[in-house]
Each structure stands twice: as C-alpha cells, then as structure tokens.
Amino acid sequence: MSAAADVVAIKAELAALGTADRAVAEKAYLKSERIHFGTAVPDVRAVAKRWLRSRPDLGHDALLEWCRAGRDEPVHECHMVVVELLVLRPKLIGPADLPWLEQLIRDSRTWALVDPIAGTVVSRLAAAEPATLEVLDRWVTDPDFWVRRSAVLGLRAVLRDGREADRFFAYADRLLPESEFFIRKVLGWVARELGALQPVEVSAWLRRNLAGMNGVTLREAVKPLPDGAEIVEAWKRGGHGTRRNKVG
C-alpha cells in the first residue's frame, strides 16, 4: 500500500474513534484552523503503535514518506500521528532530517504538535549529535516564535545530562524581554527542569533578572528552588507584582 493510501486508511480509523463534542472543544481550545475528528490522545497513540507493529522492518525513508503524506492532510489527528511516529522511532531520525523537522515545526502552529517535536525528537537529536546545537542557536533568533520556543525545548535532553546550562541561560537572556506567552512559559518550564538539577545556578539567573522578569516565567522557574518564595517576594518588592504579572 502506498503512503498516500495508507494515510487515507489511518484517517478513516481516526475519524471512527472521534466524537463531535470533543472535536468542537479541541478545535476551540487549540484555536486550530485544521479539521478535528475529536479523537482522544490515547486512541491516536494506539493507532500509531498498531501501525508501527505492523511494520517491524520500517526504515528511515518509509517513515518519512508516511510522515510527509500525513502532514499534507488538513486533519489535526493525522498530524498527531506523524508526531507520535517520530517520537516512537527516534533512532530513524538523524541530523539530515533537521530542515524537514524545522518545516514541520513551522507548519504545526500549536504547542500540541510543536512541543513533542522539539522537546522530544529534536531534544534527543541534540543530545546525540552536538552539531544540532548550532541549529538551535539559529532557531533562537528566528522570526517565528514557535521556532524560538523550539530552540529552548531542544535543550531539554542535554540539560538533563548536565550539559549546556550556559547555552540555556544565553537563550533565556535573549528571550526574556519578549511578551509572547508561549516564549515566557517555555522559559519557565525549562528553567524549572534545570532548577531541579542546578538550583543554585537557576536561582542566580532569576535574581540577576528580577527587574525584567515576568510572572509567567517566574511562577514555573521557582517551583523546585529552596529559595523560591524569597525570590518571588524580592520580585514583588521591586514593584513587579502587578495584576498582569501576578504570581499565583
């Protein structure tokens, strides 16, 4: 069966598993322009896993052929299956696929797709292939905020390995002035993860940047820090506890 015909079959399966009420709710929640079937995430993952089990000898080219065909569908759940396949077969993805992954991020336009692509697929690649970090250095200056968000998420695995904290802080210094919610949120999330491993360093970064800090980033970043409450109080004393930036 060709990739295009295979995608048609998968699409029919996803449609049968969806509900109209969920489709309406998810489309509104994600502010999506795509068609939604309302298929629950566990069901989407089960479809992806069944497809992979039926292809034990799946190689790189066949995977990418299916993913390209799935991406061409205007259906959100088809894009979800593409992401699941990439997450489930990380060893089939290499540095040569980064331009395609970048385009996939640009086309995705929602955290529901961007975050696993960048935070899992690209992140694993960055941990295994140091040259990927040079791509992330370019992404962090990209005009598209989803690509900038992906640069930060792409550091997750190397940070868990105890590497590249200075690179994260450099990215964070650059992005902190932004008002875009999805940038502010990702800085907080990744700082929180790093703070669980390197609390002294994250605390120092927060204290250095209190004057320019926002509540969205701060609220996440302080969670694992022993001095988190003290940092929040210092931020409030500096006159930053406004309604817009309120920590709570």
Side-chain angles (χ1 to χ4, degrees):
M1 185 181 292
S2 70
D6 208 5
V7 168
V8 170
I10 292 292
K11 184 167 67 170
E13 187 175 0
L14 292 168
L17 291 168
T19 67
D21 288 347
R22 184 186 292 274
V24 171
E26 288 184 351
K27 186 177 178 70
Y29 176 63
L30 295 176
K31 300 178 181 178
S32 173
E33 297 177 357
R34 295 189 176 95
I35 297 166
H36 282 247
F37 290 152
T39 314
V41 171
D43 289 332
V44 173
R45 288 176 178 159
V47 168
K49 288 177 180 179
R50 281 198 298 273
W51 188 86
L52 286 172
R53 282 197 299 270
S54 69
R55 291 158 178 80
D57 299 323
L58 182 71
H60 170 273
D61 292 350
L63 173 64
L64 267 290
E65 182 184 8
W66 197 98
C67 287
R68 290 189 179 98
R71 188 191 67 174
D72 289 342
E73 288 290 336
V75 177
H76 175 72
E77 285 82 357
C78 288
H79 289 242
M80 289 176 67
V81 171
V82 168
V83 172
E84 287 299 323
L85 295 179
L86 295 171
V87 168
L88 291 167
R89 288 295 181 270
K91 292 183 180 179
L92 295 180
I93 306 302
D97 298 310
L98 279 166
W100 182 78
L101 290 170
E102 179 179 330
Q103 190 57 53
L104 189 62
I105 288 167
R106 293 185 190 280
D107 293 343
S108 293
R109 303 188 304 279
T110 173
W111 60 265
L113 300 173
V114 167
D115 287 10
I117 297 167
T120 301
V121 180
V122 175
S123 176
R124 287 171 176 169
L125 194 55
E129 301 286 347
T132 305
L133 296 172
E134 297 177 9
V135 175
L136 300 184
D137 290 346
R138 176 173 58 79
W139 284 6
V140 79
T141 66
D142 195 273
D144 186 337
F145 75 81
W146 291 116
V147 177
R148 298 197 301 278
R149 178 180 172 92
S150 296
V152 180
L153 288 169
L155 293 176
R156 292 180 70 198
V158 290
L159 292 173
R160 286 195 297 268
D161 289 345
R163 297 180 283 143
E164 301 298 337
D166 287 345
R167 187 176 244 106
F168 167 72
F169 291 130
Y171 287 9
D173 285 345
R174 181 182 186 90
L175 297 175
L176 189 60
E178 294 198 24
S179 60
E180 169 57 53
F181 171 82
F182 287 104
I183 294 296
R184 290 182 166 190
K185 193 73 171 179
V186 80
L187 291 179
W189 280 347
V190 178
R192 180 191 68 203
E193 292 180 354
L194 182 59
L197 302 172
Q198 300 184 31
V200 173
E201 290 81 356
V202 172
S203 175
W205 177 75
L206 290 171
R207 290 177 182 277
R208 285 197 306 272
N209 288 282
L210 280 182
M213 187 58 60
N214 64 83
V216 175
T217 299
L218 187 67
R219 178 168 58 243
E220 294 294 332
V222 297
K223 286 180 178 179
L225 302 182
D227 59 343
E230 180 183 319
I231 292 171
V232 171
E233 286 305 312
W235 179 75
K236 288 180 178 179
R237 287 197 302 273
H240 304 292
T242 64
R243 184 175 183 179
R244 179 180 176 184
N245 290 325
K246 184 179 179 182
V247 173

